[in-house]
Amino acid sequence: MLIIPSLTRKQTLLLVVAIVGALAVVLSMLSRSVLPAPPRKIEMTTGAVDGAAHQFALRYQAYLKANGVTLDLKPSTGAVQNLERLSAGTPVGFVQGGLGILTLDPQETDSDTDLRSLGVIGYEPVWMFASPALAKTLAKGLVPLAGKKIAIGAEGSGTRKVSLELLQAYGINATNATLSADGGMAAANALLAKNLDALFIIGAPQTPAVQLLLGKQEEVYLVSMEHAEGLTRRFPYLSLVSLKAGSVDPAQDRPRQDITLLTTTANLVARQDLHPALAYLLLEAARDVHKGATLLNKPGMFPNGIATDYPLADEAARYYRDGRSFFQRYLPYWAANALQRLLLVLVPLVAIAIPIFRVVPRLFEFKEKNRLYRRYAVLLEMERDITSRRLSPGEIAKATARLDKIEQEVSHMKFSLDFSDRVYTLRQHVDYVRRQLHAHAEHDAANAGQPAA
């Protein structure tokens, strides 16, 4: 039990003011430097305006807005440009699998990059569409694309990077084929208009251009490559997924058979210095946006922290392991964040304050004891002097004046109630020494045959 001696009103007021003032200063310093409040506005680099990534970003924007945070969206040509922007300081964005350091060099360490993954948010297959006649010849490989006009995506896009790598594996390049920088809806419409022979699109199944072409099965075919598994050995960042027969449109039997697709993954990537509260908010948004089923995955598969292209952020690791924090489950975003920051500051302060509250009362007790004991020391010295020798009238008068001074000082001092009995005892001792002096003076006067003064 913490027992605090009774203090005077002045002492209590001073103690409270001192402690509250100290706590206010410490809280202010910590909140501004160690635990700053999260910003209310951040930027996100997305992708092409007509692509799935930008559409996802619009849903992130709505989710953050509902929690009081403005998300400014910056469309881009694709994943390569997104990565450049992230490296240059943009706080968060989407990055296609195969571009991150853990894919390019698994031996890299966390200290080699300022970027962190908040998780994998979904599959991004390599969709290759071609005219029906050409598509049938591509099942065994891409060699028949020689001499054809192929859309491989815009400069700065992940589609272009992967398309060029796949084409080069079959000896197709700008010297023996016409490579167009068209992408998205423009490329899809060009293919339908027969201005292209084939096109590559890398994106989620919800990509508008992919949805358009999947609905035109009689005009264009989705290529299913028999070499798909072999290509994953040459390009480790690629894996396999299957578009099941009838999954696009069961009534129209689309597709008519299972189609094997090469796929990358999409990573939600943030800079390492992103405020932890915003990281958790973005993870919540990702869960809300990507938790559902698609043509390629069952519900609940994404987001996850498996096989990320960048080191997994600490906040993401905790989120996937433990889920949302207690406060995030029951409080709005800003309230939960403020309370968490407050607790992070208060817990160590309380650990410091408890010993202080134990020590301060003892210091007050020591101070009051010291005031009493100093006067007891004077009384003890006077008493020893009286009993050890004869005092002259002048010395008796001087000692009496000292006793009067001690009594006056004690009567004007303020002590806590715990010390009231000791104060009374001190006064009794003052009276005792005064009586000894009086007796001493009477004895000397009797010996001199004179009345005592």
Side-chain angles (χ1 to χ4, degrees):
M1 176 184 290
L2 184 64
I3 301 176
I4 302 176
S6 300
L7 304 177
T8 65
R9 291 184 179 180
K10 183 177 180 181
Q11 291 171 340
T12 303
L13 179 61
L14 290 175
L15 178 61
V16 171
V17 169
I19 293 177
V20 171
L23 288 176
V25 171
V26 173
L27 283 171
S28 177
M29 293 175 60
L30 288 177
S31 63
R32 291 181 181 181
S33 57
V34 181
L35 297 168
R40 290 187 175 266
K41 184 177 181 179
I42 59 169
E43 289 184 342
M44 183 181 205
T45 180
T46 61
V49 174
D50 61 354
H54 190 76
Q55 301 306 309
F56 290 147
L58 289 172
R59 296 174 63 184
Y60 279 66
Q61 186 181 54
Y63 189 94
L64 266 64
K65 182 179 180 180
N67 287 276
V69 178
T70 299
L71 183 63
D72 283 345
L73 304 183
K74 299 175 64 176
S76 69
T77 56
V80 174
Q81 188 178 31
N82 285 350
L83 185 55
E84 292 173 353
R85 287 177 176 176
L86 285 164
S87 299
T90 300
V92 64
F94 298 119
V95 176
Q96 179 182 297
L99 300 178
I101 62 167
L102 297 186
T103 298
L104 300 177
D105 186 356
Q107 302 303 317
E108 295 284 350
T109 62
D110 292 6
S111 60
D112 295 318
T113 177
D114 292 328
L115 303 182
R116 294 291 182 268
S117 176
L118 297 181
V120 175
I121 59 173
Y123 292 124
E124 287 195 332
V126 181
W127 307 91
M128 183 168 57
F129 292 94
S131 61
L134 180 59
K136 293 176 182 179
T137 67
L138 297 175
K140 293 289 186 179
L142 305 184
V143 175
L145 288 176
K148 305 298 182 181
K149 186 175 183 179
I150 313 156
I152 60 172
E155 291 283 353
S157 68
T159 297
R160 189 180 187 89
K161 175 184 179 297
V162 176
S163 299
L164 287 173
E165 289 181 352
L166 290 175
L167 289 169
Q168 287 169 3
Y170 289 93
I172 308 298
N173 52 52
T175 63
N176 57 18
T178 302
L179 304 182
S180 168
D182 288 340
M185 290 298 291
N189 288 323
L191 181 63
L192 291 172
K194 303 187 186 312
N195 295 325
L196 289 173
D197 296 304
L199 67 78
F200 288 89
I201 298 176
I202 295 181
Q206 299 94 320
T207 303
V210 173
Q211 291 290 311
L212 172 64
L213 295 176
L214 287 176
K216 302 289 185 177
Q217 185 170 299
E218 301 303 324
E219 301 175 51
V220 294
Y221 278 13
L222 177 61
V223 176
S224 180
M225 295 182 62
E226 295 180 14
H227 290 175
E229 186 166 357
L231 289 171
T232 63
R233 302 295 192 271
R234 293 177 62 89
F235 305 104
Y237 63 87
L238 295 174
S239 58
L240 300 179
V241 291
S242 179
L243 182 66
K244 297 299 182 182
S247 60
V248 174
D249 188 344
Q252 299 295 323
D253 191 25
R254 296 176 181 171
R256 294 190 177 93
Q257 59 190 16
D258 290 357
I259 297 178
T260 302
L261 298 172
L262 293 167
T263 187
T264 63
T265 56
N267 282 249
L268 178 61
V269 177
R271 291 191 61 80
Q272 188 176 11
D273 57 3
L274 181 71
H275 195 287
L278 286 177
Y280 282 116
L281 186 60
L282 286 166
L283 284 164
E284 283 292 295
R287 178 177 175 273
D288 184 71
V289 172
H290 304 291
K291 65 183 178 182
T294 71
L295 293 175
L296 302 175
N297 63 269
K298 295 181 179 180
M301 285 185 62
F302 299 104
N304 64 59
I306 302 172
T308 59
D309 261 32
Y310 287 90
L312 194 63
D314 293 339
E315 296 81 9
R318 286 191 290 269
Y319 182 84
Y320 294 125
R321 183 183 65 242
D322 305 325
R324 290 178 292 174
S325 71
F326 175 82
F327 297 119
Q328 289 171 336
R329 292 190 185 102
Y330 301 105
L331 294 174
Y333 165 71
W334 285 104
N337 175 63
L339 190 55
Q340 285 177 322
R341 291 171 58 231
L342 182 63
L343 287 178
L344 285 174
V345 174
L346 284 181
V347 168
L349 287 182
V350 168
I352 297 172
I354 289 177
I356 290 176
F357 275 106
R358 291 182 180 273
V359 170
V360 169
R362 292 179 181 176
L363 291 177
F364 275 104
E365 182 180 358
F366 172 78
K367 178 184 176 183
E368 296 195 338
K369 283 182 177 179
N370 188 50
R371 289 193 296 174
L372 291 175
Y373 291 163
R374 278 186 291 140
R375 286 154 181 85
Y376 268 117
V378 173
L379 288 177
L380 181 60
E381 181 183 355
M382 292 174 65
E383 190 173 1
R384 287 176 177 172
D385 200 25
I386 293 170
T387 57
S388 63
R389 65 186 181 89
R390 291 291 180 185
L391 301 180
S392 66
E395 289 175 327
I396 293 175
K398 186 176 179 181
T400 302
R402 291 179 68 186
L403 287 176
D404 293 338
K405 182 180 179 182
I406 291 174
E407 190 170 33
Q408 185 179 15
E409 289 175 347
V410 171
S411 65
H412 286 86
M413 288 180 183
K414 294 181 179 180
F415 291 90
S416 65
L417 292 176
D418 290 347
F419 282 80
S420 58
D421 57 336
R422 302 184 188 185
V423 174
Y424 291 135
T425 302
L426 176 61
R427 288 178 173 174
Q428 290 176 349
H429 288 175
V430 169
D431 289 339
Y432 172 74
V433 174
R434 182 181 282 112
R435 288 196 300 270
Q436 283 188 308
L437 285 173
H438 188 67
H440 201 107
E442 287 182 342
H443 184 270
D444 289 346
N447 289 339
Q450 299 176 357

